[in-house]
Amino acid sequence: MITAGGVGERFGSSVPKQYVELGGRQVISYVIEACRKSQQADAILVVAHPNYHSELVANYGVDVAASGPELNVTKRNGLDYIRSHSACEKLVVVDAVRPAVECQVIDRFFTRLDEYDAVASARKITDSLGRYGQWIVNREEYYTLSTPEGFKFGLIDKHFKADSPLTESIQQLPETSRVYLDFDVPYYDKLTYPEDLERLQSILSRRK
């Protein structure tokens, strides 16, 4: 499932940033390509604004579902679509604005789901960490979470709430869930600002 409902307010473009060009291609095309090259993915769903559905189907041949006004609504819509259109067992979720995602990572997450309930991309904090009201904070006790992320579909479908204030899907699972934190996901950088385009282009060029 590729979440593509963002409007890119911070990016300052006339179109959402997942549709801007990077190396002569739409940003989202790199993500779709990585999913398509996966050896374990059976189907690709893009959850996007209906204005872009016909373009996505025509250009990339993917399934589409309507996004919502917030990311958690978009994810919930995608889960509902998958449940009603397939007998999904494992799900990997990727942001449409992470064009450096690799098919090998997607396959690794699917494989991890044979043993775990969920898989998350995690990154250690390398800068000094501060907290209001606390002078010294041990950064080794913390890490960041991001996509790609993977789930046993039945579990995430049961527990995921569109109105949850939590920003990471795995946080909505029961605390007893078996979660694998993958600290070896390379280049899952997110396109947020226009200046990120040059950095991401450099990553993609080096990979080629």
Side-chain angles (χ1 to χ4, degrees):
M1 181 169 77
I2 301 172
T3 54
V7 296
E9 291 180 354
R10 289 174 292 180
F11 192 76
S13 172
S14 59
V15 297
K17 55 191 174 183
Q18 58 268 32
Y19 304 113
V20 302
E21 284 201 359
L22 174 64
R25 298 167 49 183
Q26 288 184 327
V27 168
I28 194 174
S29 71
Y30 294 94
V31 182
I32 293 174
E33 180 182 41
C35 294
R36 185 163 284 134
K37 287 182 177 180
S38 166
Q39 298 297 306
Q40 299 200 43
D42 297 314
I44 302 171
L45 172 68
V46 179
V47 192
H49 193 283
N51 288 353
Y52 296 93
H53 283 190
S54 58
E55 176 184 342
L56 290 165
V57 173
N59 292 344
Y60 306 112
V62 294
D63 295 329
V64 291
S67 60
E70 298 175 351
L71 179 58
N72 279 350
V73 179
T74 292
K75 289 182 177 180
R76 182 68 260 175
N77 290 352
L79 295 173
D80 292 343
Y81 179 96
I82 292 170
R83 182 181 359 92
S84 61
H85 289 80
S86 71
C88 181
E89 297 178 358
K90 302 177 185 177
L91 173 69
V92 172
V93 181
V94 188
D95 286 341
V97 290
R98 298 186 190 272
V101 64
E102 296 179 312
C103 60
Q104 297 94 325
V105 171
I106 295 172
D107 284 338
R108 189 167 77 226
F109 277 35
F110 274 121
T111 299
R112 289 287 186 193
L113 290 171
D114 289 335
E115 183 179 356
Y116 293 90
D117 296 320
V119 188
S121 299
R123 181 171 289 182
K124 295 183 181 297
I125 297 173
T126 56
D127 290 328
S128 297
L129 186 65
R131 183 175 184 269
Y132 295 109
Q134 183 176 343
W135 189 240
I136 299 175
V137 180
N138 182 6
R139 69 185 181 190
E140 296 300 324
E141 297 178 352
Y142 299 87
Y143 51 85
T144 63
L145 292 170
S146 185
T147 61
E149 54 190 356
F151 307 96
K152 291 284 183 64
F153 181 78
L155 185 66
I156 190 64
D157 184 42
K158 176 181 179 180
H159 293 282
F160 191 86
K161 307 298 182 185
D163 59 354
S164 172
L166 299 173
T167 57
E168 173 54 47
S169 304
I170 284 176
Q171 295 171 327
Q172 294 202 40
L173 297 180
E175 292 187 11
T176 54
S177 301
R178 297 166 299 165
V179 177
Y180 182 85
L181 300 178
D182 194 322
F183 288 94
D184 297 317
V185 178
Y187 304 134
Y188 64 59
D189 304 60
K190 182 180 179 181
L191 175 61
T192 304
Y193 302 103
E195 52 267 31
D196 295 333
L197 286 169
E198 183 176 351
R199 174 175 51 81
L200 287 165
Q201 180 61 66
S202 176
I203 291 172
L204 295 169
S205 297
R206 288 200 304 271
R207 181 180 299 170
K208 290 180 181 179

